[in-house]
Amino acid sequence: MTVRIAAACWAVAGVAYLGLEAMAAAGQPGYRYATNFISDLGRPDSPLSHLMNTAFVVQGTLFLAAAVALARANRGRSSGLFVACAAANAVGNVVVATVPSGGAGIAWVHVSAAAVAIVGGNAAILAGHRLVSESRWYRLTSVGLAALGFLAFGVLAVGAVTASTVVLPGAVWERTCVYTIIGWQLLSAVLLLRR
């Protein structure tokens, strides 16, 4: 039963995140996924910022709830690091929502929280994929997604520090390192439901 709870949490979180993000983007004139950052949708001046900020909170809390449920279902296996990484993702997402970009003088809090969410989520993939499935293709897919997430985050950080575009716009790198987490949790939800 706890495995199904984990799967449901990940599925609901992933679908809700992508759906709410799409609605918030559609409500912001001129918004483009390739050139505008995700956090732009949560800014106070974004018409549907409440949708994007809800997406961050739902994603973070349900990602953690799924990790806790899966850890309980796999007692006896090392899952503490997995839950800790998922908790980092959750805290980062909730802070991103409560301290949106564009706020007065606290941009560093938002940026730091986003980094914690991204690193925590991609690290959770590495720490927890064996709790979902031992199959070779799934293991390789999980490691590949996490590696892509960390690579994209690294390129995003270099672009931010140097204030330059590294091959692709920063928004593409940002979405890549976030969507690796969403993609992994949706894939994992499907596998868990088929158990």
Side-chain angles (χ1 to χ4, degrees), residues 93 142 148 178:
N93 271 301
S142 296
L148 177 60
V178 169

Side-chain angles (χ1 to χ4, degrees), residues 45-85:
D45 58 353
S46 177
L48 297 175
S49 61
H50 63 285
L51 293 180
M52 192 66 241
N53 290 322
T54 298
F56 290 132
V57 172
V58 168
Q59 167 61 21
T61 55
L62 291 182
F63 190 79
L64 175 57
V68 169
L70 194 57
R72 285 187 179 173
N74 287 278
R75 282 186 214 139
R77 299 184 67 187
S78 177
S79 56
L81 180 60
F82 174 49
V83 172
C85 292

Side-chain angles (χ1 to χ4, degrees), residues 10-11 13-15 17-18 59 63 121-122 125 137-138 141-142 145-146 148 175-191:
W10 274 336
V15 170
Y17 182 91
L18 294 173
Q59 167 61 21
F63 190 79
N122 282 290
I125 297 171
W137 75 266
Y138 175 76
T141 300
S142 296
L145 283 170
L148 177 60
R175 277 201 161 73
T176 300
C177 59
V178 169
Y179 288 175
T180 53
I181 302 164
I182 305 292
W184 177 78
Q185 77 191 48
L186 290 172
L187 172 63
S188 298
V190 170
L191 286 180

Side-chain angles (χ1 to χ4, degrees), residues 19-167:
L20 291 170
E21 180 189 17
M23 287 187 270
Q28 186 165 321
Y31 186 87
R32 292 182 49 210
Y33 276 60
T35 55
N36 295 100
F37 289 96
I38 299 170
S39 292
D40 293 344
L41 296 172
R43 293 172 57 100
D45 58 353
S46 177
L48 297 175
S49 61
H50 63 285
L51 293 180
M52 192 66 241
N53 290 322
T54 298
F56 290 132
V57 172
V58 168
Q59 167 61 21
T61 55
L62 291 182
F63 190 79
L64 175 57
V68 169
L70 194 57
R72 285 187 179 173
N74 287 278
R75 282 186 214 139
R77 299 184 67 187
S78 177
S79 56
L81 180 60
F82 174 49
V83 172
C85 292
N89 174 269
V91 169
N93 271 301
V94 170
V95 173
V96 161
T98 55
V99 184
S101 67
I106 49 175
W108 68 271
V109 174
H110 181 86
V111 171
S112 299
V116 168
I118 290 167
V119 171
N122 282 290
I125 297 171
L126 293 176
H129 70 275
R130 290 186 184 273
L131 300 178
V132 175
S133 174
E134 291 283 351
S135 73
R136 185 173 188 273
W137 75 266
Y138 175 76
R139 185 176 70 247
L140 292 174
T141 300
S142 296
V143 171
L145 283 170
L148 177 60
F150 282 121
L151 173 66
F153 180 71
V155 174
L156 174 65
V158 167
V161 169
T162 62
S164 62
T165 298
V166 182
V167 183

